[in-house]
Amino acid sequence: MTSDKNTQKGLYIKNFGCQMNVYDGDRMQEMMSSHNYDSVNSVEDADLVILNTCHIREKATEKIYSELGRIKKNISGKKEKTIVAVAGCVAQAEGEELVKRAPIIDLVFGPLTYHHLPDILQSFENDNLNKKKAIVDIEPPNEDKFTELPKRLKDNRAISAFLSVQEGCDKFCTFCVVPYTRGVETSRSFLEIKDEANELISTGVQEIILLGQNVNAWSNSNGKKMDFADLIYELSLLDLKRIRFTTSHPNDMNHKLISSFRDVEKLQPYLHLPIQSGSNKVLKNMNRNYSSEEYVEIISELKSIRPDIAISGDFIVGFPGETEDDFNKTEEIIKKIGYAHAYSFKYSPRPGTPAGQMENQIDEKIKSNRLQRLQDEIKRSMYKYNKRFLNENLQVLVEKETTPGYFSGRSPYLQSIHFQSESSCIGNIVDIKVLKVNENSLSGEILH
Ligand code: SF4
């Protein structure tokens, strides 16, 4: 269907949560653009509003109901009907329940079914607009979602783009809902990924970030036997400048993948490898299936072949049964690894997960206190990591002009770097001398 200004409609998507959701949101937008929907910046201007939800954080579902309350206010009094959809992991987990509690919702679909959106929207418009019966589509489909999605679009394509290669998880960490909302681990085929990478490159993308819940569990789902290290090597042969990936699980790290950080020039020296806790007792209760010693061993091997590699992590504090001694072990790990970056959260019970049923839940005040101490430790670690680059030169892939004459980009270590330039250098790799550092970003001058 071609675009016609008279029939053009507005689409507003709000993404919550992880990069997987950002990727899914982009794909929905691209898909709907061939159905005459253009992106708009406000709910008021939209004909279709999609909340692309995340179920990881505390009170995720309640937050969606509050968001729906705000949407209801914003669209009340509009002459034309605004169709309201809830997508993502909350939609997958709650299904019909969402519609029962919030009748403003017209469509509910999950991460595995969002490619059905044009069809369910059409049926809603054809049959339901007056009756207003919501459509809920969350059953895992038989077809491969990715083969149903349109090609990547040239419009507004960024320099760096996500490419989903793997979805779902079989690990069943006791605190996590992902195995229940995103389903079992599935990998896209190499050829499908390569095609999408080439589509992105043809739109001007210079850096591809491979995405998956356990991205390093990827294996070729169709055709010759390949593992994740093979995928990185094959993609490095394409005409792009940089490759990254996230998120990895320690149990799916292997020597071959570790060696890729030395052998594949385009693979950037940055690894996000969540440990969650430094205590083996807590790791066991989390069902992480590795010890802190095994984790440290992986990092040591990485640093032995790529000493400058930046390590990033995730931490949960206040997991049921966590003692002060367990928490101290987490602080020790942060010091030992020297994280360049890390995300940290207070444990909060997710409905339907084993940890949510554990009796030895930790008092909120203790959790908050530990989180504060942990975040202070992480900040010190990030600052220490960045400080080593003061007065050094870094190769920066320039992503955008933030204000006229000022640009920002990323170093190989994923640091955000700001600098001034008289000419536009977006999409280029430039040398920047670092003149100022803080824990979250660097700034410097361009070298000619
Ligand atoms: S590995 Fe654990 S935390 Fe990560 S998605 Fe799977 S169950 Fe969740």
Side-chain angles (χ1 to χ4, degrees):
M1 200 188 295
T2 51
S3 203
D4 172 351
K5 285 265 175 265
N6 295 325
T7 58
Q8 205 70 35
K9 292 180 172 181
L11 169 63
Y12 178 84
I13 301 182
K14 182 161 182 175
N15 290 316
F16 298 81
C18 67
Q19 290 112 329
M20 299 287 286
N21 265 15
V22 175
Y23 175 85
D24 290 346
D26 280 357
R27 301 304 313 259
M28 286 182 221
Q29 199 161 342
E30 289 171 347
M31 180 171 61
M32 295 315 292
S33 79
S34 60
H35 292 270
N36 275 0
Y37 277 87
D38 256 359
S39 182
V40 293
N41 294 325
S42 73
V43 167
E44 289 86 340
D45 292 335
D47 299 279
L48 171 61
V49 173
I50 302 175
L51 297 182
N52 192 20
T53 61
C54 167
H55 207 266
I56 292 280
R57 300 278 172 273
E58 194 177 10
K59 301 194 180 86
T61 313
E62 293 312 312
K63 281 180 190 155
I64 295 307
Y65 289 125
S66 314
E67 190 69 36
L68 287 164
R70 279 191 288 276
I71 291 172
K72 197 172 170 185
K73 267 196 205 148
N74 289 342
I75 62 177
S76 72
K78 269 179 77 179
K79 264 214 313 244
E80 298 295 323
K81 157 110 186 109
T82 305
I83 297 176
V84 176
V86 178
C89 291
V90 172
Q92 190 66 41
E94 302 288 326
E96 292 279 355
E97 191 55 33
L98 281 168
V99 183
K100 278 191 206 145
R101 273 192 60 184
I104 186 184
I105 300 171
D106 301 304
L107 309 173
V108 177
F109 47 91
L112 304 174
T113 49
Y114 67 78
H115 59 294
H116 294 164
L117 175 57
D119 289 341
I120 57 175
L121 186 62
Q122 188 79 65
S123 353
F124 183 81
E125 285 176 332
N126 288 350
D127 308 330
N128 281 319
L129 210 48
N130 298 322
K131 286 180 264 168
K132 243 204 100 332
K133 187 172 177 339
I135 298 178
V136 177
D137 178 11
I138 54 170
E139 284 306 308
N142 295 324
E143 74 280 2
D144 173 8
K145 170 179 77 189
F146 292 105
T147 56
E148 306 285 316
L149 290 168
K151 284 189 185 308
R152 307 307 306 266
L153 282 186
K154 283 195 193 300
D155 297 350
N156 306 322
R157 181 55 55 207
I159 296 302
S160 176
F162 294 127
L163 199 173
S164 174
V165 303
Q166 179 276 335
E167 284 195 300
C169 180
D170 298 342
K171 306 276 193 291
F172 290 94
C173 298
T174 53
F175 55 83
C176 184
V177 289
V178 166
Y180 313 101
T181 57
R182 292 250 174 188
V184 294
E185 265 172 25
T186 49
S187 295
R188 295 177 71 186
S189 78
F190 167 61
L191 289 178
E192 207 178 287
I193 294 166
K194 190 176 164 194
D195 282 351
E196 190 173 328
N198 276 322
E199 283 165 25
L200 288 169
I201 291 165
S202 75
T203 69
V205 164
Q206 313 269 2
E207 174 183 84
I208 286 182
I209 306 167
L210 305 174
L211 280 185
Q213 252 89 36
N214 286 302
V215 71
N216 55 338
W218 182 88
S219 62
N220 193 19
S221 62
N222 192 2
K224 79 171 176 181
K225 202 168 165 353
M226 289 171 73
D227 66 12
F228 189 59
D230 297 324
L231 175 67
I232 290 171
Y233 172 73
E234 289 292 337
L235 294 180
S236 76
L237 303 177
L238 305 181
D239 185 19
L240 50 82
K241 291 185 176 135
R242 291 181 168 182
I243 298 175
R244 302 183 188 274
F245 60 87
T246 197
T247 289
S248 300
H249 194 289
N251 289 348
D252 294 312
M253 291 301 294
N254 56 42
H255 301 302
K256 190 170 155 193
L257 180 55
I258 289 172
S259 303
S260 309
F261 283 98
R262 175 193 58 211
D263 301 336
V264 181
E265 210 187 319
K266 291 180 185 174
L267 180 60
Q268 298 303 289
Y270 177 96
L271 177 67
H272 182 64
L273 194 67
I275 181 171
Q276 307 298 4
S277 169
S279 154
N280 287 339
K281 182 195 89 190
V282 174
L283 288 173
K284 190 162 188 291
N285 292 339
M286 287 177 166
N287 194 32
R288 293 291 291 180
N289 284 312
Y290 54 79
S291 66
S292 65
E293 290 78 14
E294 284 163 336
Y295 179 90
V296 170
E297 219 171 278
I298 295 169
I299 304 296
S300 303
E301 189 180 341
L302 271 162
K303 288 190 175 173
S304 73
I305 62 146
R306 189 76 214 231
D308 61 333
I309 193 162
I311 304 296
S312 143
D314 286 348
F315 295 91
I316 294 174
V317 297
F319 187 78
E322 183 191 70
T323 61
E324 192 60 19
D325 184 48
D326 294 321
F327 176 71
N328 289 340
K329 288 184 173 132
T330 303
E331 285 190 308
E332 280 162 27
I333 279 285
I334 293 173
K335 289 194 187 109
K336 195 168 198 161
I337 301 294
Y339 285 94
H341 193 264
Y343 300 94
S344 52
F345 310 98
K346 267 194 290 188
Y347 169 76
S348 69
R350 315 289 340 124
T353 57
Q357 315 298 316
M358 291 178 184
E359 280 171 4
N360 42 3
Q361 302 287 330
I362 304 293
D363 181 80
E364 267 315 300
K365 271 197 193 139
I366 297 176
K367 283 198 244 177
S368 300
N369 175 282
R370 287 182 188 162
L371 184 65
Q372 188 58 55
R373 283 153 61 198
L374 190 89
Q375 289 184 337
D376 289 345
E377 195 60 59
I378 289 170
K379 271 189 200 160
R380 280 193 287 275
S381 184
M382 286 165 64
Y383 181 67
K384 195 170 164 199
Y385 182 84
N386 283 345
K387 221 172 92 183
R388 74 185 68 171
F389 295 96
L390 192 60
N391 295 319
E392 298 291 324
N393 298 344
L394 281 172
Q395 293 218 301
V396 173
L397 176 59
V398 186
E399 291 180 356
K400 55 184 179 234
E401 190 168 14
T402 46
T403 50
Y406 289 86
F407 294 82
S408 76
R410 296 275 176 181
S411 76
Y413 312 102
L414 205 63
Q415 294 140 313
S416 175
I417 305 197
H418 304 272
F419 61 95
Q420 217 176 340
S421 172
E422 281 162 16
S423 55
S424 174
C425 43
I426 295 170
N428 295 341
I429 291 184
V430 298
D431 286 318
I432 300 290
K433 180 171 182 184
V434 178
L435 298 176
K436 200 172 162 211
V437 304
N438 64 38
E439 70 255 17
N440 285 315
S441 65
L442 314 175
S443 55
E445 66 180 10
I446 191 164
L447 302 173
H448 295 285

